[in-house]
Amino acid sequence: PDASAYRSAAACFPECSSFTMIGDHWGDDVQGALNAGWNAVWVDRDGVMSTVPDHSNVSVPTIRELRDLLELFPA
């Protein structure tokens, strides 16, 4: 995953110091965000965490449904 896309997006919000990508594709969403220095939340609807390569060395919150974000980011 090319981190430049994430850096370009971040440049649109210079007032923000950190970003979190919420995505359902490990390689494009989660790994891309991590490569750019962002935080990430993986929406693993199918429960395939054990089949994703190179996931054991990173700590990424994993949720099954978008409504689970409420537990990670309470109001």
Side-chain angles (χ1 to χ4, degrees), residues 10-64:
C12 294
F13 301 94
E15 68 279 6
C16 296
S17 61
S18 66
F19 298 89
T20 300
M21 172 63 171
I22 300 164
D24 62 358
H25 189 273
W26 181 266
D28 293 337
D29 300 334
V30 175
Q31 196 61 55
L34 296 174
N35 289 347
W38 287 28
N39 299 310
V41 175
W42 185 23
V43 183
D44 181 17
R45 290 182 180 96
D46 300 320
V48 297
M49 180 64 169
S50 62
T51 64
V52 174
D54 300 326
H55 72 276
S56 61
N57 60 341
V58 294
S59 177
V60 174
T62 302
I63 60 174
R64 295 297 293 263

